[in-house]
Amino acid sequence: MSISAEDHPAIKSVLIQILLVLTGAVFFALANPGFLFPKGISFFAWFMYVPVFMIVHRASHKTVWLWGGVYGVIAYSLYTSWLAAFSSVGMLAVSFLYFVLCAVLFLVLKAAETFCGKKAWIAQWLVLCAYEYIKTLGFSGFSYGVSAYTQWRNILLIQSSAIAGVWGITALVDFCSAWIYRVLLDSAGSVSLKNVLKSVKRHGAGLCIWGVCLCAALIYGAVVIKSKPHETGKYVKVCAVQNNTDPWKGGVEAYERDTKTLMSLTQKALEADGDIQIVVWPETAVVPSIIMQYNQRKDRKRFEIINSVLEYINKQNAVFVIGNFHSVDTGGEYYDDYNCAFVFNPRVNVIPPEPEIYAKMHLVPFTETFPYAKLFPFIYKLLLKGDTHLWSAGKKRTVFRQAGISFSVPICFEDTFGNDCRKFVRDGARAFINMSNDAWSKSLACQYQHLSMAVFRSAESRIPTVRSTASGQTCIIDVHGRISAEAEPFSRTFVTGYIPVIEQSAPLTLYDRTGDVLGIFFIFVSLVWLAAGIIWNKKTK
């Protein structure tokens, strides 16, 4: 005797929940750059959380957390599928992290539905916005997957990030899912056009407010994009090199080959255009520690590699911004290793090497830093055995003043955080020069996910960005977040172009002044509303 889902409502309910989980995870993956569509399909973002709200509504208080955890694992496994090729430990860490985060999110969304009355869907929207901000905080903070980044090619919309960062755009995108869910829920008893229209009318005020806000953001963007904010009329010609290699693979022979490639590509660029004022090489493009190897000379081969680089740079006229592995002897058992940007001015600070230095401050969790070695020794040992290099964190933000501009160098992961980059601007940076290495992922999707966040850093602060990456996406981004020049990914090449000199006295954008205040607001309002709902329900009972 066969058992069908129709005969057993519990089985049918579980199957529907599974379908909603899979649908929600697929919508999330499609909205963002991914392995199927490397640039993403931003249209899906506007309703990608509808299945999430449906799951929460259908699930019991006892099981809602489990559905949330399963959704988090599947959604981020699809979204960050490239991570599996790099580090199984990293993939497990992300899966565990988002199981926990989404389990908690679903519990809070259920509580909002239970205690916040007729406007619970608005409370749930605020909770979702708060979650998007919270997941970027702390040691394991991860900006990948924030809703606003799905809109990275919507140039008009992203201009409003100069007001509230990515959080205003995230609120607009997430509200659409919450509103659609509420309309569908109200007409669920009899899904007909008449009932849907009645539900739309019932929630018309919310739709109108959202429409006004969206139109205002687009009009603001159209006005701003025609302006040239505080440009001096002067420009600096830059060259970003892409040598298409993972610099940490292959040992000393590979290090030598990579530096020769970098110098060869640079020479082609300089011969084609002698007016280049700044040359940028990717993150840790030169692996042997330049200062340590030059001063100690314990390893002849490594010394020869870095000496050839220094001699080459010293013969040029352009300022060089290069990534290097910098070891510092602090008198302990081990050296402190830093992921650094070195700025060399030929015939000034090249031989002996005395570069201006910025050491990466915001390190990648689990692959560049793990501060809980004593608490979780097992995980720490796994990381050491894996394909990772644990760094020391830099302690000071640096603004370089070379070739007529003031710039800072957020290194790789750092340009995925608006709050980090705005601090460089507050210190005086008027351009970003980002050096990255995503070659380890061997994934175009990963590189576009990174680029989708980088364009916001320019739009938020109204300053240009130059990106030099190991394998892509090497490009020049203008003050509005538009990509003016981009290299072919996974090729040995370079990009040359101009960036404007922004006045040092240029006023800061509202976001640069206030930071993530809107994200904090979402947390505060969500907690207050939820607490008030719980208290009110207790008093009523």
Side-chain angles (χ1 to χ4, degrees):
M1 180 179 176
S2 63
I3 299 175
S4 66
E6 287 75 11
D7 296 328
H8 291 267
I11 296 176
K12 182 179 179 180
S13 179
V14 169
L15 291 175
I16 292 173
Q17 289 290 76
I18 292 172
L19 180 61
L20 286 171
V21 166
L22 294 174
T23 302
V26 170
F27 282 176
F28 179 82
L30 290 174
N32 290 280
F35 62 92
L36 288 178
F37 301 96
K39 295 183 180 181
I41 305 175
S42 61
F43 170 71
F44 282 94
W46 299 93
F47 52 86
M48 66 183 177
Y49 286 120
V50 173
V52 166
F53 292 122
M54 289 293 188
I55 295 165
V56 171
H57 175 71
R58 293 177 55 83
S60 68
H61 289 85
K62 292 181 179 180
T63 63
V64 69
W65 66 272
L66 180 59
W67 290 113
V70 172
Y71 165 82
V73 170
I74 297 175
Y76 269 82
S77 293
L78 292 174
Y79 173 58
T80 61
S81 57
W82 41 265
L83 189 58
F86 168 65
S87 169
S88 57
V89 176
M91 192 68 188
L92 287 172
V94 168
S95 297
F96 174 76
L97 173 64
Y98 278 92
F99 181 93
V100 174
L101 283 175
C102 290
V104 174
L105 169 65
F106 278 45
L107 279 170
V108 179
L109 288 173
K110 190 68 175 180
E113 181 184 61
T114 305
F115 297 111
C116 293
K118 294 181 180 179
K119 300 298 181 183
W121 66 277
I122 299 178
Q124 289 178 310
W125 162 63
L126 291 168
V127 167
L128 181 58
C129 292
Y131 153 78
E132 297 244 42
Y133 173 61
I134 290 170
K135 72 179 183 179
T136 69
L137 304 177
F139 156 72
S140 60
F142 198 52
S143 295
Y144 286 67
V146 170
S147 295
Y149 294 132
T150 63
Q151 306 302 307
W152 66 285
R153 290 187 289 170
N154 189 336
I155 298 301
L156 294 183
L157 185 58
I158 72 174
Q159 302 313 307
S160 59
S161 64
I163 299 174
V166 297
W167 311 115
I169 299 171
T170 292
L172 280 173
V173 174
D174 289 351
F175 184 89
C176 197
S177 284
W179 185 85
I180 293 172
Y181 154 72
R182 187 65 250 183
V183 168
L184 292 176
L185 189 64
D186 279 1
S187 57
S190 176
V191 183
S192 64
L193 180 60
K194 185 178 180 180
N195 280 344
V196 171
L197 290 176
K198 281 184 179 180
S199 184
V200 168
K201 185 177 180 180
R202 193 177 301 121
H203 299 288
L207 179 63
C208 289
I209 293 171
W210 173 80
V212 168
C213 292
L214 179 61
C215 289
L218 293 173
I219 292 170
Y220 172 79
V223 172
V224 167
I225 209 166
K226 293 180 180 179
S227 66
K228 292 185 177 181
H230 307 284
E231 294 183 12
T232 62
K234 298 178 181 178
Y235 293 85
V236 173
K237 181 165 278 190
V238 297
C239 173
V241 179
Q242 176 180 294
N243 56 333
N244 193 33
T245 184
D246 186 348
W248 290 93
K249 301 291 186 180
V252 177
E253 290 75 16
Y255 303 158
E256 182 179 23
R257 183 175 62 250
D258 290 346
T259 54
K260 287 180 178 179
T261 299
L262 288 162
M263 289 186 286
S264 174
L265 289 169
T266 303
Q267 191 59 34
K268 287 181 181 179
L270 293 174
E271 288 175 357
D273 195 336
D275 295 331
I276 293 172
Q277 295 163 273
I278 298 178
V279 173
V280 189
W281 289 357
E283 178 188 19
T284 56
V286 180
V287 175
S289 177
I290 290 175
I291 295 175
M292 184 185 75
Q293 295 296 339
Y294 188 90
N295 292 334
Q296 296 184 359
R297 309 192 185 191
K298 292 180 179 180
D299 187 311
R300 186 67 189 177
K301 191 66 177 179
R302 282 176 165 79
F303 168 74
E304 289 174 352
I305 291 171
I306 62 100
N307 192 54
S308 66
V309 170
L310 293 174
E311 288 182 348
Y312 174 77
I313 292 174
N314 206 40
K315 294 175 183 177
Q316 312 309 318
N317 294 318
V319 171
F320 276 69
V321 183
I322 70 174
N324 185 232
F325 161 39
H326 182 40
S327 292
V328 178
D329 186 356
T330 56
E333 184 179 357
Y334 301 103
Y335 284 13
D336 284 350
D337 296 338
Y338 296 91
N339 186 343
C340 288
F342 283 5
V343 177
F344 285 110
N345 196 339
R347 296 171 295 283
V348 175
N349 64 349
V350 182
I351 299 177
E354 297 174 347
E356 296 180 68
I357 301 175
Y358 167 68
K360 187 176 183 180
M361 299 174 67
H362 197 145
L363 301 173
V364 182
F366 300 106
T367 58
E368 289 187 335
T369 182
F370 185 72
Y372 307 115
K374 293 182 180 179
L375 192 60
F376 302 106
F378 174 70
I379 296 176
Y380 182 67
K381 289 177 181 178
L382 280 178
L383 292 174
L384 291 179
K385 290 178 181 178
D387 190 7
T388 59
H389 190 104
L390 300 181
W391 304 92
S392 298
K395 297 177 176 59
K396 182 180 178 182
R397 300 182 193 282
T398 306
V399 177
F400 302 101
R401 291 174 172 82
Q402 295 284 350
I405 61 170
S406 300
F407 63 90
S408 287
V409 188
I411 299 175
C412 201
F413 191 58
E414 291 184 312
D415 77 342
T416 67
F417 295 93
N419 200 46
D420 283 349
C421 289
R422 77 176 186 89
K423 293 174 183 176
F424 288 118
V425 179
R426 288 177 65 90
D427 289 345
R430 294 298 179 265
F432 292 133
I433 293 180
N434 169 256
M435 48 178 62
S436 293
N437 172 23
D438 293 324
W440 49 267
S441 70
K442 300 177 182 177
S443 167
L444 187 60
C446 174
Q447 293 174 177
Y448 270 120
Q449 286 172 10
H450 197 163
L451 178 60
S452 70
M453 291 177 273
V455 299
F456 275 85
R457 305 295 83 91
S458 282
E460 286 166 350
S461 300
R462 299 279 186 261
I463 63 175
T465 296
V466 180
R467 299 190 78 231
S468 174
T469 72
S471 60
Q473 300 315 110
T474 297
C475 62
I476 298 173
I477 305 169
D478 75 7
V479 297
H480 299 300
R482 293 175 296 197
I483 299 169
S484 58
E486 185 176 4
E488 183 71 22
F490 303 111
S491 63
R492 292 181 175 178
T493 185
F494 55 85
V495 167
T496 301
Y498 288 98
I499 59 171
V501 177
I502 306 297
E503 293 176 1
Q504 198 63 43
S505 59
L508 300 177
T509 65
L510 182 60
Y511 176 70
D512 284 335
R513 281 179 277 155
T514 60
D516 292 338
V517 65
L518 186 58
I520 297 169
F521 170 80
F522 289 139
I523 297 174
F524 175 76
V525 174
S526 299
L527 290 174
V528 170
W529 194 337
L530 191 57
I534 293 171
I535 293 170
W536 175 260
N537 273 266
K538 284 187 175 181
K539 284 186 175 181
T540 303
K541 288 180 180 179

